[in-house]
Amino acid sequence: MIQRYEAPRSRLARSVVQYLRESQIHPYANLTGVDRTDIYDVLDIELELELDQRRQVPIRSREPIRIGFMASDDGWPPQVLSTRADFPVGMVHTNLDRDVDGGLTLCIWEEGWADLASNLTGQTLIERIRAWFTAMAAGTIHDADQFLEPLIHPGSNTLIIPSGRIQGPWSFDWISRQGRCITLSMCRLKSDETAKSHDVAVYSPCLPSQVHRGLSRTPYDLGALQRLCVDLGFNLAEDLATWLLSAEQLLQAADRLPILILTVPKRRTDDGANEQPEVWCYTLGETVAELGERLGVTITEAGVTTAKLFGDISQADLSSIRMDPWRVVQRLDRSAARGFSGSSHTQDIPLLGIGAGAIGSNVAMIATRSGLGPWVLVDADLTLPHNTVRQVQKNDAIGWNKAQVLQHELDSVLDDDGNASIPVDVFFPGTHAAALDNALRDAAIAIDFSASPAVLGWLSDQPVNRAVSAFFGPDGSDLVVLSEDSPRDIKIDEIEAQYFWAVATEIPLKDHLVAARMDRIRYANACQDLSRPLPPWQTQTLCGLAAGRLAQLIDDTEASFRVWRLEPGSGAVDSVCVAVQPVHRIQTGDMRVTISDDVVRTMRAQRQQSGRNETGGVLLGTYDLVRNVVHIVGALSSPPDSKQAPTYFIRGIKDLKPRIERLADASAGRLHYIGEWHSHPGGVPARPSADDEQVYAHLKTHMEPAGAPFVMAICGERDSWLRAGWQERGTLEGVIAHEHK
């Protein structure tokens, strides 16, 4: 029968009472009692649960609970208890505290109460508790990918321990105080000076492995901690006494304060492997010498501490030795950072970045915070004042090498190093040539952040495992990321050439390079001392996307080409993905010509559409005068005034020049007229006739003196033939076999 008392003082308690008494929808819970104390409003409730027949935990279809609400302030979370006498003890998401009035405390929520309370009605609270019991019965209360439950609650002071394996020996590093809270940092023993520190004495045993379970009451005295440790299979008092009697601890025992750091390995199941351990930290308000005397194992006279003759710890009053529990946090290494950043990668990935400027420094920093690296950073430039607007390097780095400063900044993010810098121009490595070569070979991915076509071309020729290029569009509102495939079947400079063709022909990329000649800001006196104005928020937005794409590329082994287009006014970002085409390479001596599969398909399609007549057009592409490379990426169809017949083709000129100029302008001048192509009818080999030789001679006469490469291609039924010439570089020929489907 429901006990009748005046209305609860807590608003949330009143909401629960009204819901259980007046709701027209069956609440699946019955209010069995309402009570109050000086501090709490108390509701006794019987839950009605719908459970599977097979249950991992013996939860019943009817479970009695008690909810205590802070009467004067709903700013504190209510306390939920099980009042069933035989409720299973030791389950996760419970508190092992039978001293709480009325039963076992249940951990119903993990969210911060201030956030949860704003939407928590009486109905929501009851349903939340019912869901907890249902999940407990099914064995799903603790997710498989969730960290293991803590065994005890921490305190308010904070101990910071090194990253990596949680195991001593540790030594005092530094201490800070803010108000009443103390933060103490520990380090590993790095030198004799550190090891000789007499400020603190660290006792750091490792307890037997435990299966995670419900929370125990936090011990606040040595007696309570001893009982908990014995329950976990470890005699803390005896081990602590042995530690106190060691020669190292007896030395200057009167001047050092003891710190107890206990490591408890934990596993998910009885037969499971150990996962992350739990670390407990306690300080005592007395010295090592005083603790030894309280335990009855040492004696101190004239400042000298020695073992006590016939010392016996069994007579010590452990409960009288008060302790302060500390919160323990571990510094992050790359492995831990990957977990906190949601990365699926399980190991370090060596990365090389060429260029430590606006995009390189920010992408490397974001990637480092994500646990990706270590990095080798290559840049010969010095940090200048205007760099600090949008780069990681700050005011105190002005005048120092960008790569070296960035290495220092990356090393300060996590508790492990491994980053390196090579302060050179890749074209003039000097004494750093061997280091640069080794870095290129060792990196899983080498990323060009320089926005320099020359550097991109250089990287394409290097013996790297995989090359990527990331750069901003001319006005800083677009991001481009070009990536080779893992086998490097398609090189980064070949992808760059396809990028220029796509920019000139794809509608989603219209005007992408329109600002290539926009005004710049002069930051010093020389003619080339120019920088583009670029808001830092745009830099950060696009660099975040670049870092995210870099993380994807580690697993995505295909060649790719993506552009993110940012609309500064609205902040909207549009992602444009363009398929990378396979390429055919023809090389001889110092000259290399590539032709994309898209060009071959275009020529074949135009040949098929022309029927029995020959057809043709012009070839467009990019070239590199230094590296002697030609990339053919576009084949234009015949102008309307062309003459076509079964035995000849004469290309017309109507609207051709304006069309080529539009494509060149759209690509910021990177696309050029490369030469001519035409088809041969069925049964006629794709090889030059006497007339074709005259066409090639015409190309040579008009283009060779200008220094540009010139190409003639013939598309036949079974294959395509190509010849290229280029001033002193000579001539090359090649055949591309057609795929037959």
Side-chain angles (χ1 to χ4, degrees), residues 95-97 150-156 215-221 224-225 227-228 278 280-282 322-327:
N95 291 314
L96 299 173
D97 191 356
L151 299 176
I152 62 174
H153 282 295
S156 58
L215 282 153
S216 296
R217 171 182 284 188
T218 301
Y220 287 92
D221 61 70
L225 182 60
R227 291 191 294 274
L228 176 58
E278 186 170 332
W280 304 338
C281 176
Y282 285 93
R322 302 293 299 174
M323 304 183 309
D324 290 323
W326 288 53
R327 176 179 61 172

Side-chain angles (χ1 to χ4, degrees), residues 272-437:
N274 287 336
E275 298 183 28
Q276 78 276 6
E278 186 170 332
V279 180
W280 304 338
C281 176
Y282 285 93
T283 54
L284 304 90
E286 49 197 23
T287 65
V288 172
E290 292 168 338
L291 177 61
E293 290 188 1
R294 296 282 298 275
L295 295 179
V297 294
T298 66
I299 187 170
T300 301
E301 295 180 346
V304 177
T305 302
T306 59
K308 183 178 181 179
L309 190 63
F310 305 118
D312 184 5
I313 195 173
S314 64
Q315 302 301 314
D317 182 7
L318 301 181
S319 298
S320 67
I321 302 176
R322 302 293 299 174
M323 304 183 309
D324 290 323
W326 288 53
R327 176 179 61 172
V328 179
V329 296
Q330 187 177 23
R331 297 184 185 274
L332 299 186
D333 56 13
R334 275 185 289 273
S335 177
R338 288 192 289 270
F340 281 100
S341 67
S343 171
S344 61
H345 303 111
T346 58
Q347 57 187 2
D348 287 357
I349 300 127
L351 301 169
L352 181 141
I354 302 172
I359 185 168
S361 66
N362 284 293
V363 171
M365 177 60 73
I366 296 169
T368 296
R369 295 184 186 280
S370 303
L372 302 182
W375 284 84
V376 176
L377 308 158
V378 182
D379 199 322
D381 290 346
L382 300 181
T383 306
L384 298 178
H386 72 283
N387 296 146
T388 60
V389 172
R390 52 182 179 260
Q391 297 182 17
V392 167
Q393 297 87 345
K394 298 184 286 291
N395 182 64
D396 58 1
I398 292 174
W400 296 90
N401 174 262
K402 284 183 180 180
Q404 293 176 326
V405 172
L406 181 56
Q407 176 195 345
H408 173 76
E409 294 293 340
L410 298 187
D411 283 341
S412 68
V413 174
L414 301 173
D415 192 35
D416 54 1
D417 47 26
N419 299 299
S421 58
I422 306 177
V424 297
D425 183 329
V426 295
F427 296 112
F428 306 101
T431 58
H432 295 280
L436 179 59
D437 185 65

Side-chain angles (χ1 to χ4, degrees), residues 40-246:
Y40 289 103
D41 289 322
V42 179
L43 305 183
D44 284 306
I45 298 169
E46 184 179 65
L47 301 175
E48 298 178 9
L49 306 172
E50 297 177 342
L51 306 173
D52 293 336
Q53 292 297 318
R54 296 182 178 181
R55 304 167 196 171
Q56 298 296 319
V57 177
I59 300 299
R60 298 174 182 172
S61 58
R62 291 183 176 272
E63 287 284 353
I65 63 168
R66 176 169 295 162
I67 310 178
F69 301 84
M70 187 70 70
S72 60
D73 187 1
D74 275 326
W76 293 91
Q79 194 174 51
V80 183
L81 307 93
S82 169
T83 54
R84 174 155 68 98
D86 58 349
F87 189 86
V89 177
M91 306 307 299
V92 292
H93 294 262
T94 65
N95 291 314
L96 299 173
D97 191 356
R98 285 291 186 182
D99 294 334
V100 175
D101 291 340
L104 189 73
T105 307
L106 312 180
C107 300
I108 301 298
W109 38 68
E110 297 177 346
E111 304 95 323
W113 176 247
D115 296 323
L116 186 62
S118 62
N119 290 285
L120 194 67
T121 64
Q123 179 183 12
T124 305
L125 174 60
I126 294 300
E127 289 304 314
R128 186 72 177 264
I129 298 172
R130 292 183 69 253
W132 184 94
F133 276 93
T134 301
M136 177 65 78
T140 60
I141 191 71
H142 199 87
D143 293 337
D145 58 351
Q146 188 177 355
F147 284 153
L148 300 182
E149 283 285 89
L151 299 176
I152 62 174
H153 282 295
S156 58
N157 294 324
T158 301
L159 179 78
I160 303 173
I161 60 176
S163 63
R165 186 178 180 185
I166 299 181
Q167 182 177 350
W170 295 324
S171 184
F172 171 77
D173 187 12
W174 53 260
I175 187 171
S176 70
R177 292 178 173 84
Q178 185 171 0
R180 296 183 178 181
C181 295
I182 301 173
T183 300
L184 178 63
S185 175
M186 308 300 291
C187 63
R188 302 197 188 280
L189 299 180
K190 298 180 180 179
S191 65
D192 291 340
E193 290 300 318
T194 305
K196 292 177 182 178
S197 172
H198 298 297
D199 296 325
V200 296
V202 181
Y203 168 66
S204 54
C206 183
L207 277 62
S209 176
Q210 306 293 319
V211 177
H212 79 140
R213 60 179 196 180
L215 282 153
S216 296
R217 171 182 284 188
T218 301
Y220 287 92
D221 61 70
L222 190 58
L225 182 60
Q226 166 70 355
R227 291 191 294 274
L228 176 58
C229 287
V230 169
D231 183 48
L232 300 180
F234 178 71
N235 193 318
L236 171 69
E238 290 186 2
D239 192 75
L240 179 60
T242 302
W243 175 77
L244 287 168
L245 293 173
S246 65

Side-chain angles (χ1 to χ4, degrees), residues 7-52:
R9 294 156 292 183
S10 160
R11 179 205 56 79
L12 182 56
R14 292 195 301 272
S15 177
V16 172
V17 170
Q18 184 175 12
Y19 169 64
L20 294 180
R21 286 179 173 173
E22 302 178 12
S23 175
Q24 299 300 309
I25 303 174
H26 185 50
Y28 296 100
N30 298 305
L31 183 64
T32 60
V34 180
D35 203 347
R36 63 165 56 185
T37 68
D38 292 340
I39 300 175
Y40 289 103
D41 289 322
V42 179
L43 305 183
D44 284 306
I45 298 169
E46 184 179 65
L47 301 175
E48 298 178 9
L49 306 172
E50 297 177 342
L51 306 173
D52 293 336

